[in-house]
Amino acid sequence: MSIMLDNDRKAQLAHLYDEMRPEHLYPLWEVLAKLVVPQPQSPAEPAHWSYDTIRRHLLRSGDLISAEEAERRVLILENPGLPGQSAITPRLYAGLQLILPGEIAPCHRHSQSALRFVMEGEGAYTAVDGEKAFMNPFDLILTPNGRWHDHGHPGKGPMIWLDGLDIPLVRYFDAGFADRLEEPTFPEQAAPGSTRMRFGRNMRPVRSAAAATDVRGVPLFHYPYAEWSEALAALAGHETPDPWFGHALEFLNPADGGPVMPTISAGVRLLPAGFETGLRRSTEGAVHVVVEGSGEVEIDGETMALEQGDIVVAPSWSSTRWRARKRLGLFAYSDRGVLEKLNLFKESFE
Ligand code: GTQ
């Protein structure tokens, strides 16, 4: 409290607080400045993880525990400012998942929504309600909330992907439900790629049974690298780069033109070699993955070197600038769509 009070009134107020506390009553005037801040003061910190370091620990965990024993064999990327919360921002979760040849990650469903961004390997699949999506490096795969999903790996070599979930947001809303299927895998319902044929071509089915399936507004769940990288390269060949984003595209939900899922937005960017962006802040908390190239990112004045596979978190209202040494390709996911729905999205450019 910044107003000046004489000692007598201070003592009487302190006495009042003591009497009120057992009744669970508290004076707003002692905490108002902390509750209603002039600009966001995220408890999350900017942070960087080197892919080599994560990979080494993840492969070691693969020697010690199977995917089935772990249910999901994942190393959580925990924000240093949010210890013990399994959160990379106050609203988002990030983890790196490993699946080895012959393993399965058993089928379950939950009210959290997830995206998978493939870091390395091939031959593994994610099945959503019994339809497999075979995963290749830098593919984006969704397991929207409420949908049964399991993972398997009939191929060769380790398969590693980034899990991006809205776990902290769902926890905040006290809206978490989860259950496991009795069987380890969901019975096959559709040929791999069949949803992509119906919804992944800027079209949607008309008056067929396919249009009526219960997908809770999020039909498409596979955005292959082969397609998005082609779109981004074409864009880069035809436009001058935006001063803050370079060449950038957002992944869309074909059913409504909005973000890929109600709680998670995702997109990709390409910065030409030697390109440096302006400084940008926004209320979205974003997790970035280096898909190709090298360079550095400056977040709130701290500079972090970037190599392929590295992961960086930029919390709400942090001031971010990118520099590409070699042509820099980035994937990012954030809570932007949620903030926009709540009229809380704001950004500023310098
Ligand atoms: O694959 O369902 O990294 O439920 C964390 C929680 C992955 C998953 C995670 C999960 C999952």
Side-chain angles (χ1 to χ4, degrees):
M1 190 167 54
S2 56
I3 48 171
M4 295 297 283
L5 294 176
D6 59 54
N7 285 343
D8 181 48
R9 276 211 290 158
K10 266 192 202 155
Q12 291 193 59
L13 276 170
H15 182 67
L16 174 63
Y17 301 166
D18 287 345
E19 285 186 337
M20 293 191 307
R21 198 170 301 118
E23 312 298 336
H24 310 290
L25 293 168
Y26 296 88
L28 172 64
W29 56 91
E30 294 286 352
V31 294
L32 183 58
K34 266 195 305 192
L35 295 182
V36 182
V37 291
Q39 59 177 50
Q41 297 172 6
S42 182
E45 295 169 14
H48 167 272
W49 287 263
S50 123
Y51 184 60
D52 287 346
T53 306
I54 306 171
R55 186 178 190 279
R56 184 159 37 87
H57 290 98
L58 189 55
L59 289 175
R60 179 70 185 130
S61 76
D63 297 334
L64 300 173
I65 186 164
S66 74
E68 197 153 8
E69 286 166 334
E71 184 154 352
R72 296 290 184 269
R73 185 173 48 220
V74 177
L75 299 187
I76 299 167
L77 276 56
E78 187 169 81
N79 191 289
L82 305 169
Q85 295 183 37
S86 303
I88 194 161
T89 76
R91 297 175 287 272
L92 293 171
Y93 161 102
L96 271 255
Q97 179 157 179
L98 168 67
I99 184 160
L100 292 167
E103 288 191 321
I104 57 139
C107 194
H108 67 195
R109 66 177 175 182
H110 38 69
S111 30
Q112 292 82 3
S113 290
L115 62 77
R116 328 284 168 181
F117 189 71
V118 181
M119 304 296 288
E120 69 172 80
E122 57 182 19
Y125 63 82
T126 291
V128 178
D129 292 331
E131 181 185 325
K132 292 187 176 95
F134 282 92
M135 305 163 89
N136 286 300
F138 316 128
D139 282 6
L140 172 66
I141 285 122
L142 311 180
T143 55
N145 69 355
R147 314 282 297 276
W148 291 104
H149 56 284
D150 52 88
H151 312 287
H153 190 1
K156 295 191 176 67
M159 182 94 197
I160 298 176
W161 64 76
L162 169 73
D163 283 335
L165 286 90
D166 53 9
I167 288 173
L169 187 70
V170 173
R171 182 169 57 204
Y172 183 75
F173 285 124
D174 286 334
F177 295 89
D179 51 276
R180 271 186 74 166
L181 200 67
E182 303 231 332
E183 301 301 315
T185 55
F186 200 90
E188 183 131 347
Q189 299 297 306
S194 49
T195 294
R196 206 147 58 75
M197 290 308 133
R198 286 177 283 132
F199 290 95
R201 296 283 191 278
N202 258 330
M203 305 182 90
R204 56 190 178 201
V206 178
R207 265 186 66 77
S208 72
T213 50
D214 178 21
V215 294
R216 300 158 58 93
V218 188
L220 186 62
F221 57 87
H222 190 187
Y223 300 74
Y225 173 62
E227 292 177 8
W228 70 252
S229 60
E230 189 190 351
L232 198 56
L235 189 65
H238 288 94
E239 66 167 20
T240 52
D242 177 85
W244 291 277
F245 282 90
H247 307 288
L249 289 170
E250 184 185 353
F251 295 101
L252 290 185
N253 177 350
D256 61 10
V260 284
M261 294 182 285
T263 52
I264 308 182
S265 303
V268 284
R269 291 185 211 185
L270 205 53
L271 309 184
F275 191 78
E276 175 179 299
T277 72
L279 282 171
R280 174 179 172 264
R281 296 172 192 265
S282 80
T283 49
E284 66 188 313
V287 179
H288 302 270
V289 182
V290 180
V291 176
E292 67 165 84
S294 63
E296 54 188 42
V297 62
E298 178 193 317
I299 309 180
D300 285 343
E302 193 186 329
T303 298
M304 299 173 258
L306 300 173
E307 299 295 338
Q308 203 207 328
D310 289 0
I311 297 173
V312 163
V313 57
S316 170
W317 220 240
S318 58
S319 188
T320 304
R321 183 200 306 285
W322 300 88
R323 291 188 194 92
R325 190 163 62 236
K326 290 191 204 138
R327 186 173 90 152
L328 192 61
L330 299 167
F331 165 80
Y333 68 99
S334 82
D335 48 8
R336 179 175 178 148
V338 180
L339 291 159
E340 285 179 337
K341 277 273 193 254
L342 301 177
N343 284 349
L344 293 172
F345 181 73
K346 192 176 162 84
E347 62 191 332
S348 87
F349 301 96
E350 284 169 42

